[in-house]
Amino acid sequence: MLNGGGRFGPAADKGCLDPLAALRTPDEPPWDVYLTGTVFLDIIFTGLDSAPVRGTESWARGMGQSPGGVANMATALARLGLRTSLAAAFGDDHYGSYCWDALEQGEGIDLSQSRTVDGWHSPVTVSMAYEGERTMVSHGHDAPPVEPAPDCPPRSRAAIASLTPGVREEWVAQAAAEGTMIFADVGWDESGRWDLAALPDLAHCEAFLPNAEEAMRYTRTDCPRAAARALTSHVPLAVVTLGAEGAYAVDGRTGETAEVPAIEVEALDPTGAGDVFVAGFVTGTLAGWPLADRLAFAGLTAALSVQEFGGSLSAPGWAEIGAWWRRIQSYEDQDPAALRRYAFLAGLVPESARPWPLRRAVPTIGFGQR
């Protein structure tokens, strides 16, 4: 297992490296990744020694606010240099304006497919991080339905779908028919049925990325690696995250497997780590990297993200990844085999970081504004 080498400061400029530069052509799709979903305003409390106790007041040593929900994934993709388009509803309140500005101006995410809904307030999540875990309380109302835009989804190399049991999203099949690679994750099945047939959009997916518990329940297996192999009967590429053990992947078309252990880090807040993992894996896949390198990169980006608070605020950029790679090589007690696992970064990361702090989503609404 590789020692993470401590925490890092502000995320660096996402624009310093384009991982798909060698693949770009004049007739390529306008976007690398398209995604849609609900944007929350996240209010994150960190530095809690324990869970809040009923009837008492708890003080947190840290607090921040940032766009959350699907914004976590969009920000992670954009900071890795992917041209990202997001379709979402935004409230016409200050929270909605803040989230829109943070994503469009702060992160360079395309919001041409998004809309502001008059009279609708932004969904809000309060997240409390303690003991390496999180507890969340959310509030919101469904946005009024509208007809999809004629060019929605826009042409893109990849799209990310969050599957819901019993729900079919028409845009998934439409995007797949146009040659877009669909990467899918899934949430907890509240019905308790855990039936893969209830995930009709899985048939259009290139890759499925559940966690170990979800994978085993859907496949009726007692081993996450066996679950990953079973999932390749339904999707070409199965990636199962194993928590502290890392991740395991199986390519059903070639029979190739890969397993990469987790990186030891000081975890401050796990919010959004799963989104960052998916973003890292999508980046490596679009760039054409070997399966094991994709897994390693995804795990690394997720590990860096949990060392800072907040979902979208903590997503790493390339300069931060480069700083990690240079730092861990300076430790004399690092396992040489573990270092070789990440040697592919040597030809990717920038030699030096651009000056920071750079303009990011400010952690407090209204801070520094007139």
Side-chain angles (χ1 to χ4, degrees), residues 35-36 69-70 73 159-165 182-188 199 201-202 205 207-211 214 218 235 239 241 272-279 282:
L35 66 166
T36 184
V70 72
M73 182 84 73
I160 298 175
S162 184
L163 305 183
T164 301
I182 309 296
F183 296 77
D185 60 13
V186 69
W188 191 257
L199 303 177
D201 290 331
L202 192 60
C205 293
F208 185 40
L209 299 95
N211 63 35
E214 293 160 350
Y218 271 118
V235 66
V239 180
T241 54
D275 295 324
V276 174
F277 181 94
V278 174
V282 170

PDB file of all heavy atoms in Angstrom, residues 35-36 69-70 73 159-165 182-188 199 201-202 205 207-211 214 218 235 239 241 272-279 282:
ATOM      1  N   LEU A  35     -23.540  15.226 -18.502  1.00  0.00           N
ATOM      2  CA  LEU A  35     -24.232  14.634 -17.357  1.00  0.00           C
ATOM      3  C   LEU A  35     -25.391  15.529 -16.961  1.00  0.00           C
ATOM      4  O   LEU A  35     -25.447  16.712 -17.302  1.00  0.00           O
ATOM      5  CB  LEU A  35     -23.284  14.385 -16.183  1.00  0.00           C
ATOM      6  CG  LEU A  35     -22.639  15.562 -15.456  1.00  0.00           C
ATOM      7  CD1 LEU A  35     -22.021  15.066 -14.138  1.00  0.00           C
ATOM      8  CD2 LEU A  35     -21.523  16.215 -16.275  1.00  0.00           C
ATOM      9  N   THR A  36     -26.323  14.923 -16.269  1.00  0.00           N
ATOM     10  CA  THR A  36     -27.507  15.645 -15.830  1.00  0.00           C
ATOM     11  C   THR A  36     -27.896  15.153 -14.445  1.00  0.00           C
ATOM     12  O   THR A  36     -27.562  14.030 -14.048  1.00  0.00           O
ATOM     13  CB  THR A  36     -28.675  15.449 -16.826  1.00  0.00           C
ATOM     14  OG1 THR A  36     -29.791  16.236 -16.409  1.00  0.00           O
ATOM     15  CG2 THR A  36     -29.098  13.993 -16.912  1.00  0.00           C
ATOM     16  N   GLY A  69     -24.319  17.650  -5.042  1.00  0.00           N
ATOM     17  CA  GLY A  69     -25.109  16.780  -5.892  1.00  0.00           C
ATOM     18  C   GLY A  69     -24.348  16.447  -7.151  1.00  0.00           C
ATOM     19  O   GLY A  69     -23.157  16.098  -7.110  1.00  0.00           O
ATOM     20  N   VAL A  70     -24.986  16.582  -8.316  1.00  0.00           N
ATOM     21  CA  VAL A  70     -24.330  16.282  -9.581  1.00  0.00           C
ATOM     22  C   VAL A  70     -23.175  17.243  -9.849  1.00  0.00           C
ATOM     23  O   VAL A  70     -22.273  16.944 -10.641  1.00  0.00           O
ATOM     24  CB  VAL A  70     -25.353  16.319 -10.729  1.00  0.00           C
ATOM     25  CG1 VAL A  70     -25.793  17.737 -11.038  1.00  0.00           C
ATOM     26  CG2 VAL A  70     -24.802  15.652 -11.986  1.00  0.00           C
ATOM     27  N   MET A  73     -19.612  15.688  -9.405  1.00  0.00           N
ATOM     28  CA  MET A  73     -19.078  14.960 -10.545  1.00  0.00           C
ATOM     29  C   MET A  73     -18.643  15.916 -11.648  1.00  0.00           C
ATOM     30  O   MET A  73     -17.566  15.757 -12.241  1.00  0.00           O
ATOM     31  CB  MET A  73     -20.132  13.999 -11.086  1.00  0.00           C
ATOM     32  CG  MET A  73     -19.660  13.144 -12.244  1.00  0.00           C
ATOM     33  SD  MET A  73     -18.782  11.678 -11.722  1.00  0.00           S
ATOM     34  CE  MET A  73     -20.149  10.685 -11.082  1.00  0.00           C
ATOM     35  N   ALA A 159     -20.925  10.021 -21.409  1.00  0.00           N
ATOM     36  CA  ALA A 159     -21.963  10.574 -20.537  1.00  0.00           C
ATOM     37  C   ALA A 159     -22.015   9.736 -19.277  1.00  0.00           C
ATOM     38  O   ALA A 159     -21.666   8.544 -19.291  1.00  0.00           O
ATOM     39  CB  ALA A 159     -23.324  10.574 -21.234  1.00  0.00           C
ATOM     40  N   ILE A 160     -22.432  10.358 -18.190  1.00  0.00           N
ATOM     41  CA  ILE A 160     -22.510   9.654 -16.909  1.00  0.00           C
ATOM     42  C   ILE A 160     -23.957   9.623 -16.461  1.00  0.00           C
ATOM     43  O   ILE A 160     -24.622  10.666 -16.381  1.00  0.00           O
ATOM     44  CB  ILE A 160     -21.624  10.334 -15.857  1.00  0.00           C
ATOM     45  CG1 ILE A 160     -20.171  10.291 -16.320  1.00  0.00           C
ATOM     46  CG2 ILE A 160     -21.777   9.653 -14.503  1.00  0.00           C
ATOM     47  CD1 ILE A 160     -19.217  11.032 -15.425  1.00  0.00           C
ATOM     48  N   ALA A 161     -24.447   8.425 -16.197  1.00  0.00           N
ATOM     49  CA  ALA A 161     -25.838   8.233 -15.783  1.00  0.00           C
ATOM     50  C   ALA A 161     -25.863   7.660 -14.371  1.00  0.00           C
ATOM     51  O   ALA A 161     -25.097   6.750 -14.045  1.00  0.00           O
ATOM     52  CB  ALA A 161     -26.551   7.287 -16.745  1.00  0.00           C
ATOM     53  N   SER A 162     -26.751   8.173 -13.561  1.00  0.00           N
ATOM     54  CA  SER A 162     -26.987   7.614 -12.233  1.00  0.00           C
ATOM     55  C   SER A 162     -28.266   6.788 -12.313  1.00  0.00           C
ATOM     56  O   SER A 162     -29.363   7.337 -12.449  1.00  0.00           O
ATOM     57  CB  SER A 162     -27.121   8.736 -11.193  1.00  0.00           C
ATOM     58  OG  SER A 162     -27.256   8.195  -9.892  1.00  0.00           O
ATOM     59  N   LEU A 163     -28.119   5.473 -12.270  1.00  0.00           N
ATOM     60  CA  LEU A 163     -29.256   4.586 -12.478  1.00  0.00           C
ATOM     61  C   LEU A 163     -30.141   4.528 -11.242  1.00  0.00           C
ATOM     62  O   LEU A 163     -29.659   4.503 -10.105  1.00  0.00           O
ATOM     63  CB  LEU A 163     -28.765   3.181 -12.829  1.00  0.00           C
ATOM     64  CG  LEU A 163     -27.807   3.066 -14.023  1.00  0.00           C
ATOM     65  CD1 LEU A 163     -27.471   1.599 -14.296  1.00  0.00           C
ATOM     66  CD2 LEU A 163     -28.393   3.725 -15.270  1.00  0.00           C
ATOM     67  N   THR A 164     -31.451   4.486 -11.486  1.00  0.00           N
ATOM     68  CA  THR A 164     -32.442   4.352 -10.421  1.00  0.00           C
ATOM     69  C   THR A 164     -33.307   3.144 -10.728  1.00  0.00           C
ATOM     70  O   THR A 164     -33.853   3.043 -11.833  1.00  0.00           O
ATOM     71  CB  THR A 164     -33.331   5.600 -10.333  1.00  0.00           C
ATOM     72  OG1 THR A 164     -32.510   6.750 -10.085  1.00  0.00           O
ATOM     73  CG2 THR A 164     -34.344   5.463  -9.209  1.00  0.00           C
ATOM     74  N   PRO A 165     -33.442   2.189  -9.794  1.00  0.00           N
ATOM     75  CA  PRO A 165     -34.272   1.004 -10.062  1.00  0.00           C
ATOM     76  C   PRO A 165     -35.673   1.373 -10.514  1.00  0.00           C
ATOM     77  O   PRO A 165     -36.334   2.230  -9.918  1.00  0.00           O
ATOM     78  CB  PRO A 165     -34.280   0.283  -8.704  1.00  0.00           C
ATOM     79  CG  PRO A 165     -33.005   0.695  -8.048  1.00  0.00           C
ATOM     80  CD  PRO A 165     -32.796   2.114  -8.466  1.00  0.00           C
ATOM     81  N   ILE A 182     -21.488   5.384 -22.267  1.00  0.00           N
ATOM     82  CA  ILE A 182     -22.234   5.658 -21.041  1.00  0.00           C
ATOM     83  C   ILE A 182     -21.563   4.963 -19.861  1.00  0.00           C
ATOM     84  O   ILE A 182     -21.341   3.752 -19.881  1.00  0.00           O
ATOM     85  CB  ILE A 182     -23.696   5.177 -21.150  1.00  0.00           C
ATOM     86  CG1 ILE A 182     -24.349   5.695 -22.430  1.00  0.00           C
ATOM     87  CG2 ILE A 182     -24.473   5.614 -19.916  1.00  0.00           C
ATOM     88  CD1 ILE A 182     -24.491   7.188 -22.508  1.00  0.00           C
ATOM     89  N   PHE A 183     -21.233   5.746 -18.841  1.00  0.00           N
ATOM     90  CA  PHE A 183     -20.690   5.229 -17.587  1.00  0.00           C
ATOM     91  C   PHE A 183     -21.786   5.405 -16.531  1.00  0.00           C
ATOM     92  O   PHE A 183     -22.363   6.484 -16.416  1.00  0.00           O
ATOM     93  CB  PHE A 183     -19.436   5.997 -17.166  1.00  0.00           C
ATOM     94  CG  PHE A 183     -18.282   5.847 -18.116  1.00  0.00           C
ATOM     95  CD1 PHE A 183     -18.252   6.549 -19.316  1.00  0.00           C
ATOM     96  CD2 PHE A 183     -17.228   5.008 -17.812  1.00  0.00           C
ATOM     97  CE1 PHE A 183     -17.189   6.423 -20.192  1.00  0.00           C
ATOM     98  CE2 PHE A 183     -16.158   4.867 -18.677  1.00  0.00           C
ATOM     99  CZ  PHE A 183     -16.147   5.574 -19.880  1.00  0.00           C
ATOM    100  N   ALA A 184     -22.044   4.357 -15.765  1.00  0.00           N
ATOM    101  CA  ALA A 184     -23.171   4.413 -14.834  1.00  0.00           C
ATOM    102  C   ALA A 184     -22.759   4.017 -13.422  1.00  0.00           C
ATOM    103  O   ALA A 184     -21.965   3.089 -13.224  1.00  0.00           O
ATOM    104  CB  ALA A 184     -24.299   3.499 -15.311  1.00  0.00           C
ATOM    105  N   ASP A 185     -23.314   4.737 -12.457  1.00  0.00           N
ATOM    106  CA  ASP A 185     -23.273   4.293 -11.067  1.00  0.00           C
ATOM    107  C   ASP A 185     -24.705   4.080 -10.611  1.00  0.00           C
ATOM    108  O   ASP A 185     -25.645   4.234 -11.397  1.00  0.00           O
ATOM    109  CB  ASP A 185     -22.509   5.281 -10.175  1.00  0.00           C
ATOM    110  CG  ASP A 185     -23.131   6.677 -10.175  1.00  0.00           C
ATOM    111  OD1 ASP A 185     -24.277   6.833 -10.663  1.00  0.00           O
ATOM    112  OD2 ASP A 185     -22.481   7.618  -9.700  1.00  0.00           O
ATOM    113  N   VAL A 186     -24.892   3.708  -9.369  1.00  0.00           N
ATOM    114  CA  VAL A 186     -26.232   3.388  -8.885  1.00  0.00           C
ATOM    115  C   VAL A 186     -26.304   3.693  -7.398  1.00  0.00           C
ATOM    116  O   VAL A 186     -25.293   3.620  -6.681  1.00  0.00           O
ATOM    117  CB  VAL A 186     -26.576   1.901  -9.155  1.00  0.00           C
ATOM    118  CG1 VAL A 186     -25.728   0.979  -8.290  1.00  0.00           C
ATOM    119  CG2 VAL A 186     -28.059   1.617  -8.973  1.00  0.00           C
ATOM    120  N   GLY A 187     -27.484   4.048  -6.936  1.00  0.00           N
ATOM    121  CA  GLY A 187     -27.680   4.286  -5.516  1.00  0.00           C
ATOM    122  C   GLY A 187     -28.272   3.067  -4.829  1.00  0.00           C
ATOM    123  O   GLY A 187     -28.487   2.014  -5.442  1.00  0.00           O
ATOM    124  N   TRP A 188     -28.523   3.217  -3.554  1.00  0.00           N
ATOM    125  CA  TRP A 188     -29.071   2.118  -2.758  1.00  0.00           C
ATOM    126  C   TRP A 188     -30.491   1.800  -3.217  1.00  0.00           C
ATOM    127  O   TRP A 188     -31.302   2.709  -3.452  1.00  0.00           O
ATOM    128  CB  TRP A 188     -29.072   2.499  -1.284  1.00  0.00           C
ATOM    129  CG  TRP A 188     -29.366   1.349  -0.370  1.00  0.00           C
ATOM    130  CD1 TRP A 188     -30.541   1.090   0.257  1.00  0.00           C
ATOM    131  CD2 TRP A 188     -28.462   0.320   0.010  1.00  0.00           C
ATOM    132  NE1 TRP A 188     -30.431  -0.047   1.018  1.00  0.00           N
ATOM    133  CE2 TRP A 188     -29.154  -0.547   0.886  1.00  0.00           C
ATOM    134  CE3 TRP A 188     -27.140   0.038  -0.289  1.00  0.00           C
ATOM    135  CZ2 TRP A 188     -28.565  -1.654   1.455  1.00  0.00           C
ATOM    136  CZ3 TRP A 188     -26.538  -1.071   0.279  1.00  0.00           C
ATOM    137  CH2 TRP A 188     -27.259  -1.902   1.135  1.00  0.00           C
ATOM    138  N   LEU A 199     -32.919  -2.209 -13.904  1.00  0.00           N
ATOM    139  CA  LEU A 199     -32.009  -1.165 -14.385  1.00  0.00           C
ATOM    140  C   LEU A 199     -31.940  -1.250 -15.908  1.00  0.00           C
ATOM    141  O   LEU A 199     -30.943  -1.666 -16.485  1.00  0.00           O
ATOM    142  CB  LEU A 199     -30.611  -1.351 -13.783  1.00  0.00           C
ATOM    143  CG  LEU A 199     -30.502  -1.368 -12.260  1.00  0.00           C
ATOM    144  CD1 LEU A 199     -29.066  -1.629 -11.833  1.00  0.00           C
ATOM    145  CD2 LEU A 199     -31.011  -0.053 -11.647  1.00  0.00           C
ATOM    146  N   ASP A 201     -31.537   0.815 -18.295  1.00  0.00           N
ATOM    147  CA  ASP A 201     -30.524   1.595 -18.998  1.00  0.00           C
ATOM    148  C   ASP A 201     -29.143   0.956 -18.938  1.00  0.00           C
ATOM    149  O   ASP A 201     -28.227   1.366 -19.670  1.00  0.00           O
ATOM    150  CB  ASP A 201     -30.457   3.011 -18.421  1.00  0.00           C
ATOM    151  CG  ASP A 201     -31.696   3.820 -18.767  1.00  0.00           C
ATOM    152  OD1 ASP A 201     -32.300   3.546 -19.820  1.00  0.00           O
ATOM    153  OD2 ASP A 201     -32.060   4.716 -17.981  1.00  0.00           O
ATOM    154  N   LEU A 202     -28.966  -0.054 -18.096  1.00  0.00           N
ATOM    155  CA  LEU A 202     -27.681  -0.743 -18.021  1.00  0.00           C
ATOM    156  C   LEU A 202     -27.314  -1.361 -19.368  1.00  0.00           C
ATOM    157  O   LEU A 202     -26.131  -1.491 -19.704  1.00  0.00           O
ATOM    158  CB  LEU A 202     -27.723  -1.815 -16.927  1.00  0.00           C
ATOM    159  CG  LEU A 202     -26.391  -2.454 -16.515  1.00  0.00           C
ATOM    160  CD1 LEU A 202     -25.435  -1.393 -15.972  1.00  0.00           C
ATOM    161  CD2 LEU A 202     -26.621  -3.534 -15.472  1.00  0.00           C
ATOM    162  N   CYS A 205     -24.950   0.762 -21.431  1.00  0.00           N
ATOM    163  CA  CYS A 205     -23.763   1.284 -20.763  1.00  0.00           C
ATOM    164  C   CYS A 205     -22.483   0.605 -21.220  1.00  0.00           C
ATOM    165  O   CYS A 205     -22.453  -0.596 -21.498  1.00  0.00           O
ATOM    166  CB  CYS A 205     -23.904   1.132 -19.248  1.00  0.00           C
ATOM    167  SG  CYS A 205     -25.208   2.178 -18.548  1.00  0.00           S
ATOM    168  N   ALA A 207     -19.751   1.011 -19.063  1.00  0.00           N
ATOM    169  CA  ALA A 207     -19.177   0.610 -17.782  1.00  0.00           C
ATOM    170  C   ALA A 207     -20.175   0.852 -16.663  1.00  0.00           C
ATOM    171  O   ALA A 207     -20.945   1.806 -16.689  1.00  0.00           O
ATOM    172  CB  ALA A 207     -17.885   1.373 -17.506  1.00  0.00           C
ATOM    173  N   PHE A 208     -20.122  -0.027 -15.667  1.00  0.00           N
ATOM    174  CA  PHE A 208     -20.969   0.062 -14.484  1.00  0.00           C
ATOM    175  C   PHE A 208     -20.046   0.078 -13.279  1.00  0.00           C
ATOM    176  O   PHE A 208     -19.160  -0.778 -13.158  1.00  0.00           O
ATOM    177  CB  PHE A 208     -21.914  -1.135 -14.438  1.00  0.00           C
ATOM    178  CG  PHE A 208     -22.922  -1.102 -13.323  1.00  0.00           C
ATOM    179  CD1 PHE A 208     -23.563   0.063 -12.945  1.00  0.00           C
ATOM    180  CD2 PHE A 208     -23.272  -2.283 -12.657  1.00  0.00           C
ATOM    181  CE1 PHE A 208     -24.511   0.089 -11.933  1.00  0.00           C
ATOM    182  CE2 PHE A 208     -24.216  -2.280 -11.651  1.00  0.00           C
ATOM    183  CZ  PHE A 208     -24.836  -1.093 -11.281  1.00  0.00           C
ATOM    184  N   LEU A 209     -20.232   1.061 -12.366  1.00  0.00           N
ATOM    185  CA  LEU A 209     -19.288   1.272 -11.263  1.00  0.00           C
ATOM    186  C   LEU A 209     -19.999   1.287  -9.910  1.00  0.00           C
ATOM    187  O   LEU A 209     -20.071   2.321  -9.231  1.00  0.00           O
ATOM    188  CB  LEU A 209     -18.523   2.588 -11.458  1.00  0.00           C
ATOM    189  CG  LEU A 209     -17.668   2.698 -12.720  1.00  0.00           C
ATOM    190  CD1 LEU A 209     -18.413   3.398 -13.846  1.00  0.00           C
ATOM    191  CD2 LEU A 209     -16.366   3.432 -12.422  1.00  0.00           C
ATOM    192  N   PRO A 210     -20.526   0.155  -9.436  1.00  0.00           N
ATOM    193  CA  PRO A 210     -21.148   0.112  -8.102  1.00  0.00           C
ATOM    194  C   PRO A 210     -20.091  -0.102  -7.022  1.00  0.00           C
ATOM    195  O   PRO A 210     -18.935  -0.444  -7.314  1.00  0.00           O
ATOM    196  CB  PRO A 210     -22.055  -1.114  -8.215  1.00  0.00           C
ATOM    197  CG  PRO A 210     -21.287  -2.032  -9.122  1.00  0.00           C
ATOM    198  CD  PRO A 210     -20.594  -1.146 -10.123  1.00  0.00           C
ATOM    199  N   ASN A 211     -20.494   0.075  -5.764  1.00  0.00           N
ATOM    200  CA  ASN A 211     -19.588  -0.311  -4.690  1.00  0.00           C
ATOM    201  C   ASN A 211     -19.764  -1.803  -4.404  1.00  0.00           C
ATOM    202  O   ASN A 211     -20.628  -2.470  -4.984  1.00  0.00           O
ATOM    203  CB  ASN A 211     -19.793   0.550  -3.440  1.00  0.00           C
ATOM    204  CG  ASN A 211     -21.184   0.384  -2.829  1.00  0.00           C
ATOM    205  OD1 ASN A 211     -21.774  -0.700  -2.841  1.00  0.00           O
ATOM    206  ND2 ASN A 211     -21.720   1.479  -2.275  1.00  0.00           N
ATOM    207  N   GLU A 214     -23.308  -3.023  -3.165  1.00  0.00           N
ATOM    208  CA  GLU A 214     -24.293  -2.967  -4.239  1.00  0.00           C
ATOM    209  C   GLU A 214     -24.065  -4.076  -5.263  1.00  0.00           C
ATOM    210  O   GLU A 214     -25.001  -4.748  -5.698  1.00  0.00           O
ATOM    211  CB  GLU A 214     -24.224  -1.591  -4.929  1.00  0.00           C
ATOM    212  CG  GLU A 214     -24.666  -0.445  -4.036  1.00  0.00           C
ATOM    213  CD  GLU A 214     -24.151   0.900  -4.513  1.00  0.00           C
ATOM    214  OE1 GLU A 214     -23.291   0.920  -5.429  1.00  0.00           O
ATOM    215  OE2 GLU A 214     -24.590   1.926  -3.968  1.00  0.00           O
ATOM    216  N   TYR A 218     -26.749  -7.120  -6.118  1.00  0.00           N
ATOM    217  CA  TYR A 218     -27.336  -7.254  -7.451  1.00  0.00           C
ATOM    218  C   TYR A 218     -27.017  -8.601  -8.098  1.00  0.00           C
ATOM    219  O   TYR A 218     -27.797  -9.101  -8.908  1.00  0.00           O
ATOM    220  CB  TYR A 218     -26.848  -6.131  -8.356  1.00  0.00           C
ATOM    221  CG  TYR A 218     -27.718  -4.898  -8.307  1.00  0.00           C
ATOM    222  CD1 TYR A 218     -27.204  -3.684  -7.859  1.00  0.00           C
ATOM    223  CD2 TYR A 218     -29.055  -4.939  -8.697  1.00  0.00           C
ATOM    224  CE1 TYR A 218     -27.996  -2.542  -7.802  1.00  0.00           C
ATOM    225  CE2 TYR A 218     -29.854  -3.814  -8.640  1.00  0.00           C
ATOM    226  CZ  TYR A 218     -29.329  -2.625  -8.199  1.00  0.00           C
ATOM    227  OH  TYR A 218     -30.125  -1.502  -8.146  1.00  0.00           O
ATOM    228  N   VAL A 235     -22.951  -5.873 -18.762  1.00  0.00           N
ATOM    229  CA  VAL A 235     -22.291  -4.646 -19.194  1.00  0.00           C
ATOM    230  C   VAL A 235     -20.851  -4.998 -19.563  1.00  0.00           C
ATOM    231  O   VAL A 235     -20.244  -5.874 -18.940  1.00  0.00           O
ATOM    232  CB  VAL A 235     -22.344  -3.597 -18.060  1.00  0.00           C
ATOM    233  CG1 VAL A 235     -21.515  -4.026 -16.858  1.00  0.00           C
ATOM    234  CG2 VAL A 235     -21.930  -2.229 -18.548  1.00  0.00           C
ATOM    235  N   VAL A 239     -16.671  -2.270 -12.778  1.00  0.00           N
ATOM    236  CA  VAL A 239     -15.690  -1.743 -11.822  1.00  0.00           C
ATOM    237  C   VAL A 239     -16.357  -1.715 -10.458  1.00  0.00           C
ATOM    238  O   VAL A 239     -17.388  -1.063 -10.280  1.00  0.00           O
ATOM    239  CB  VAL A 239     -15.238  -0.324 -12.214  1.00  0.00           C
ATOM    240  CG1 VAL A 239     -14.215   0.202 -11.208  1.00  0.00           C
ATOM    241  CG2 VAL A 239     -14.676  -0.303 -13.633  1.00  0.00           C
ATOM    242  N   THR A 241     -15.867  -0.815  -6.480  1.00  0.00           N
ATOM    243  CA  THR A 241     -15.025  -0.159  -5.487  1.00  0.00           C
ATOM    244  C   THR A 241     -15.087  -0.943  -4.181  1.00  0.00           C
ATOM    245  O   THR A 241     -16.152  -1.387  -3.749  1.00  0.00           O
ATOM    246  CB  THR A 241     -15.472   1.289  -5.266  1.00  0.00           C
ATOM    247  OG1 THR A 241     -16.874   1.317  -4.933  1.00  0.00           O
ATOM    248  CG2 THR A 241     -15.267   2.102  -6.531  1.00  0.00           C
ATOM    249  N   GLY A 272     -18.326  13.211  -1.781  1.00  0.00           N
ATOM    250  CA  GLY A 272     -17.982  13.322  -3.193  1.00  0.00           C
ATOM    251  C   GLY A 272     -16.863  12.428  -3.661  1.00  0.00           C
ATOM    252  O   GLY A 272     -16.517  12.451  -4.848  1.00  0.00           O
ATOM    253  N   ALA A 273     -16.272  11.608  -2.781  1.00  0.00           N
ATOM    254  CA  ALA A 273     -15.139  10.781  -3.192  1.00  0.00           C
ATOM    255  C   ALA A 273     -15.530   9.788  -4.288  1.00  0.00           C
ATOM    256  O   ALA A 273     -14.755   9.528  -5.214  1.00  0.00           O
ATOM    257  CB  ALA A 273     -14.570  10.036  -1.982  1.00  0.00           C
ATOM    258  N   GLY A 274     -16.740   9.234  -4.203  1.00  0.00           N
ATOM    259  CA  GLY A 274     -17.190   8.313  -5.238  1.00  0.00           C
ATOM    260  C   GLY A 274     -17.326   8.983  -6.588  1.00  0.00           C
ATOM    261  O   GLY A 274     -16.997   8.408  -7.640  1.00  0.00           O
ATOM    262  N   ASP A 275     -17.798  10.244  -6.594  1.00  0.00           N
ATOM    263  CA  ASP A 275     -17.906  10.997  -7.833  1.00  0.00           C
ATOM    264  C   ASP A 275     -16.535  11.250  -8.441  1.00  0.00           C
ATOM    265  O   ASP A 275     -16.347  11.165  -9.658  1.00  0.00           O
ATOM    266  CB  ASP A 275     -18.609  12.328  -7.580  1.00  0.00           C
ATOM    267  CG  ASP A 275     -20.054  12.159  -7.135  1.00  0.00           C
ATOM    268  OD1 ASP A 275     -20.713  11.224  -7.623  1.00  0.00           O
ATOM    269  OD2 ASP A 275     -20.514  12.944  -6.297  1.00  0.00           O
ATOM    270  N   VAL A 276     -15.574  11.601  -7.595  1.00  0.00           N
ATOM    271  CA  VAL A 276     -14.223  11.862  -8.073  1.00  0.00           C
ATOM    272  C   VAL A 276     -13.606  10.573  -8.639  1.00  0.00           C
ATOM    273  O   VAL A 276     -12.899  10.608  -9.657  1.00  0.00           O
ATOM    274  CB  VAL A 276     -13.355  12.442  -6.937  1.00  0.00           C
ATOM    275  CG1 VAL A 276     -11.904  12.589  -7.383  1.00  0.00           C
ATOM    276  CG2 VAL A 276     -13.900  13.796  -6.499  1.00  0.00           C
ATOM    277  N   PHE A 277     -13.874   9.440  -8.009  1.00  0.00           N
ATOM    278  CA  PHE A 277     -13.378   8.153  -8.528  1.00  0.00           C
ATOM    279  C   PHE A 277     -13.902   7.919  -9.950  1.00  0.00           C
ATOM    280  O   PHE A 277     -13.139   7.573 -10.857  1.00  0.00           O
ATOM    281  CB  PHE A 277     -13.819   7.014  -7.607  1.00  0.00           C
ATOM    282  CG  PHE A 277     -13.342   5.661  -8.047  1.00  0.00           C
ATOM    283  CD1 PHE A 277     -12.166   5.126  -7.552  1.00  0.00           C
ATOM    284  CD2 PHE A 277     -14.060   4.911  -8.977  1.00  0.00           C
ATOM    285  CE1 PHE A 277     -11.710   3.870  -7.970  1.00  0.00           C
ATOM    286  CE2 PHE A 277     -13.624   3.667  -9.404  1.00  0.00           C
ATOM    287  CZ  PHE A 277     -12.440   3.148  -8.894  1.00  0.00           C
ATOM    288  N   VAL A 278     -15.198   8.108 -10.140  1.00  0.00           N
ATOM    289  CA  VAL A 278     -15.786   7.907 -11.464  1.00  0.00           C
ATOM    290  C   VAL A 278     -15.158   8.867 -12.470  1.00  0.00           C
ATOM    291  O   VAL A 278     -14.825   8.482 -13.599  1.00  0.00           O
ATOM    292  CB  VAL A 278     -17.314   8.080 -11.416  1.00  0.00           C
ATOM    293  CG1 VAL A 278     -17.898   8.025 -12.835  1.00  0.00           C
ATOM    294  CG2 VAL A 278     -17.944   6.993 -10.551  1.00  0.00           C
ATOM    295  N   ALA A 279     -14.981  10.117 -12.079  1.00  0.00           N
ATOM    296  CA  ALA A 279     -14.380  11.103 -12.974  1.00  0.00           C
ATOM    297  C   ALA A 279     -12.974  10.691 -13.391  1.00  0.00           C
ATOM    298  O   ALA A 279     -12.592  10.820 -14.565  1.00  0.00           O
ATOM    299  CB  ALA A 279     -14.359  12.475 -12.306  1.00  0.00           C
ATOM    300  N   VAL A 282     -13.283   7.735 -15.874  1.00  0.00           N
ATOM    301  CA  VAL A 282     -13.742   8.203 -17.181  1.00  0.00           C
ATOM    302  C   VAL A 282     -12.602   8.880 -17.934  1.00  0.00           C
ATOM    303  O   VAL A 282     -12.400   8.661 -19.134  1.00  0.00           O
ATOM    304  CB  VAL A 282     -14.941   9.159 -17.020  1.00  0.00           C
ATOM    305  CG1 VAL A 282     -15.271   9.849 -18.344  1.00  0.00           C
ATOM    306  CG2 VAL A 282     -16.154   8.398 -16.507  1.00  0.00           C
TER     307      VAL A 282
END
